[in-house]
């Protein structure tokens, strides 16, 4: 199966990168303002074109002006985005022509050795003139003229992006159970990897972000083969690189995509942060089974069963969207409760592979509708005739009914809970699709 792929939008300030980003994802996620340097943090979103899904990254404007606000930080972010991207969209402004900033970015992109699509934004003319050919001097082939604000040329741009993404090499899945360890910097990802592997294969330090590459390590435990994917942080020196929280998200994306199960690691000695919930959201968006792993259990004093239940309740309050996720408490430093973690991994993997008999599924469905008849919604009441579980990467159930528009979200949730109560599927997301019976 082809990888989804990652596309980064790069350019100097005020060429319309955020407008293009919003146009492609069909949402106003990026702040758009006619002031250079508004987009400081990279923004990520999944988008789709012709059924091909990909991750899109918006970046801040790169400039030679070192006096500009956050100039160095923005340049670093863009470098990370370029490094992570499979395809780069280099945006320049037709109204301003080629600037020294554009030439500097061109040199950065040459070094990256990635496919680059040159997009000439703010081009509102119907006919392409010869003047566009001066941009070919940048060395990225024939440019695509677009107007992000008016939607001109966006289809051509997306076609070109997809043609490059379709050429990405297919990654072969390792045998056994593949799991990644994700989390914000300094929660103990490398320490947990070392504790699991039983040897110092990954450099561990107290400085946030010392892991620089993703490391896949295969090992065998209790006759089961596992591959642990340790997601990378960033190693940089200087004050400007200290606030690394915002850089760790993107590094987790490809690891999540390659995983059967995702371990979301959080620090049990600290409050849950927005960064924790944002990183968890990436796994949720990719519909992956998640185990919330609370690390540094050794540092929590006066531990009791009650303490664990209270902490779990508090943490779950922040991760309501991951209500299906299992939660375990470990100490990576003291290598304690790892057996509990692996029991959870095995249980979740079993749920991921579980298939239910169609006859039993429909029996449960009939009982559920008798127990709790569907409410009236959108001018009618749904009647589910039968259901089936097709082959899928996560447990998916297709419900054939009179009209999918009659399904209220609360009834969908009720049916999911009924399926979980009867069949288990512990720690695994469930996909329920409603189809009109023809």
């Amino acid at each position: 199966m082809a990888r989804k792929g990652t596309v980064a939008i790069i350019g100097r300030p005020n060429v319309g990168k955020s407008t293009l980003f919003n146009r492609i994802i069909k949402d106003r996620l990026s702040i758009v303002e006619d002031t250079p340097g508004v987009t400081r943090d990279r923004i990520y979103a999944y988008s789709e074109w012709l059924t091909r899904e990909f991750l899109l990254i918006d970046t801040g404007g790169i400039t030679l002006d070192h006096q500009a606000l956050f100039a160095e930080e923005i340049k670093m972010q863009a470098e990370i985005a370029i490094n992570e991207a499979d395809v780069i969209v280099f945006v320049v402004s037709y109204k301003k022509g080629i600037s020294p900033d554009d030439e500097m970015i061109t040199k950065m992109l040459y070094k990256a050795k990635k496919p680059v699509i040159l997009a000439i934004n703010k081009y509102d003319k119907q006919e392409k003139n010869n003047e566009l050919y001066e941009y070919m001097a940048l060395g990225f082939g024939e440019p695509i003229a677009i107007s992000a604000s008016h939607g001109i040329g966006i289809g051509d741009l997306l076609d070109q992006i997809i043609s490059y993404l379709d050429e990405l090499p297919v990654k072969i899945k390792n045998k056994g159970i593949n799991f990644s360890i994700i989390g914000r910097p300094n929660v103990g990802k490398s320490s947990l990897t070392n504790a699991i592997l039983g040897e110092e294969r990954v450099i561990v330090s107290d400085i946030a972000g010392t892991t620089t590459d993703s490391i896949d390590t295969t090992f065998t435990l209790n006759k089961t083969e596992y591959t642990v994917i340790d997601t990378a942080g960033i190693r940089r020196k200087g004050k400007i690189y200290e606030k690394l929280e915002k850089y760790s998200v993107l590094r987790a994306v490809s690891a999540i995509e390659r995983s059967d199960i995702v371990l979301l690691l959080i620090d049990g000695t600290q409050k849950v942060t927005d960064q924790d919930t944002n990183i968890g959201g990436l796994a949720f968006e990719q519909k992956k089974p998640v185990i919330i792993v609370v690390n540094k259990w050794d540092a929590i004093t006066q531990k009791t069963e009650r303490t664990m239940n209270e902490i779990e309740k508090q943490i779950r309050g922040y991760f309501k969207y991951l209500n299906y996720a299992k939660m375990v408490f470990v100490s990576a430093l003291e290598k304690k409760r790892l057996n509990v973690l692996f029991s959870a991994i095995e249980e979740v993997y079993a749920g991921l592979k579980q298939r239910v008999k169609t006859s039993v599924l429909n029996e449960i469905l009939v009982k559920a509708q008798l127990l709790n008849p569907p409410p009236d919604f959108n001018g009618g009441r749904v009647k589910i005739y039968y259901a089936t579980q097709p082959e899928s990467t996560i447990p998916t159930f297709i419900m054939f009914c009179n009209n999918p528009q009659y399904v209220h979200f609360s009834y969908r949730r009720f049916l999911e809970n009924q399926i979980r109560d009867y069949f288990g599927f512990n720690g695994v997301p469930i996909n329920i699709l409603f189809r009109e019976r023809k």
Side-chain angles (χ1 to χ4, degrees), residues 276-424:
D276 291 316
T277 55
N278 289 344
I279 292 175
L282 284 169
F284 174 76
E285 280 176 2
Q286 293 203 41
K287 293 189 170 72
K288 293 289 182 177
V290 176
I291 300 173
I292 300 171
V293 183
V294 185
N295 191 25
K296 307 189 183 178
W297 185 238
D298 56 290
I300 296 168
T301 55
Q302 300 174 325
K303 292 186 284 283
T304 64
E305 197 69 35
R306 189 178 168 189
T307 316
M308 193 181 280
N309 291 337
E310 285 172 0
I311 293 173
E312 176 164 349
K313 193 176 178 183
Q314 287 171 5
I315 292 170
R316 286 200 181 276
Y318 291 96
F319 293 100
K320 286 179 179 170
Y321 60 91
L322 288 174
N323 58 348
Y324 62 83
K326 291 186 75 66
M327 189 182 298
V328 297
F329 292 78
V330 302
S331 168
L333 191 67
E334 296 184 354
K335 301 183 181 179
K336 286 183 177 172
R337 298 181 58 82
L338 297 183
N339 58 327
V340 179
L341 175 60
F342 277 94
S343 294
I345 291 172
E346 286 171 15
E347 187 181 349
V348 170
Y349 191 72
L352 194 62
K353 298 298 173 188
Q354 183 180 349
R355 302 269 307 158
V356 302
K357 282 187 176 179
T358 304
S359 57
V360 181
L361 174 65
N362 284 283
E363 195 180 310
I364 298 306
L365 207 56
V366 169
K367 285 179 182 173
Q369 290 181 92
L370 289 170
L371 179 71
N372 182 10
D376 282 335
F377 183 65
N378 274 346
R381 182 175 293 191
V382 69
K383 180 167 176 55
I384 301 165
Y385 302 113
Y386 64 97
T388 183
Q389 182 188 3
E391 287 283 347
S392 184
T393 50
I394 65 163
T396 300
F397 300 93
I398 299 176
M399 311 256 170
F400 292 93
C401 62
N402 53 345
N403 190 338
Q405 291 184 348
Y406 294 161
V407 183
H408 192 267
F409 74 88
S410 63
Y411 202 71
R412 180 193 295 267
R413 194 167 55 208
F414 164 72
L415 292 173
E416 180 181 329
N417 290 338
Q418 291 294 301
I419 290 169
R420 285 191 187 281
D421 287 347
Y422 195 86
F423 299 109

Side-chain angles (χ1 to χ4, degrees), residues 14 19 30 48 58 97-98 146 164 196 232 249 255 314 317 319 322 328 336 358 368 375 382 424 432-434 438:
N14 216 23
T19 307
S30 272
E48 191 181 279
D58 186 19
I98 298 170
I146 64 167
Y164 280 128
I196 285 168
V249 178
Q314 287 171 5
F319 293 100
L322 288 174
V328 297
K336 286 183 177 172
T358 304
V382 69
I432 297 180
L433 307 173
F434 290 89
K438 300 290 185 188

Side-chain angles (χ1 to χ4, degrees), residues 75-91:
K75 187 181 177 188
M76 179 202 170
Q77 291 181 49
E79 283 174 355
I80 295 164
I82 290 167
N83 190 42
E84 292 300 312
D86 298 300
V87 178
I88 295 157
V89 177
F90 178 22
V91 183

Side-chain angles (χ1 to χ4, degrees), residues 1 53 62 83 99 122 140 165-166 190 218 236 239 279 339 348 363 370 380 382 389 426 428:
M1 198 175 89
E53 199 178 7
I62 308 167
N83 190 42
S99 73
K122 305 183 183 181
F140 298 118
L165 291 178
D166 284 342
S190 296
T218 301
R236 289 281 185 168
K239 285 182 182 177
I279 292 175
N339 58 327
V348 170
E363 195 180 310
L370 289 170
V382 69
Q389 182 188 3
N426 290 331
V428 180

Side-chain angles (χ1 to χ4, degrees), residues 10-12 14-15 90-103 105-107 109-110 116-125 127-146:
I10 302 291
R12 63 181 174 81
N14 216 23
V15 291
F90 178 22
V91 183
V92 298
S93 171
Y94 171 70
K95 291 179 179 176
K96 297 286 173 71
I98 298 170
S99 73
D101 283 346
D102 293 325
E103 289 169 349
I105 294 165
T106 298
K107 288 175 185 172
L109 296 179
Y110 282 161
V116 176
I117 302 167
L118 183 61
I120 315 296
N121 192 26
K122 305 183 183 181
Y123 189 87
D124 301 332
K125 299 178 184 178
E127 297 295 322
K128 290 182 187 175
N129 294 333
N130 290 337
E131 58 210 9
L132 280 184
Y133 288 103
E134 71 178 79
Y135 292 93
M136 290 182 72
L138 293 172
F140 298 118
E142 190 169 338
I144 298 176
I146 64 167

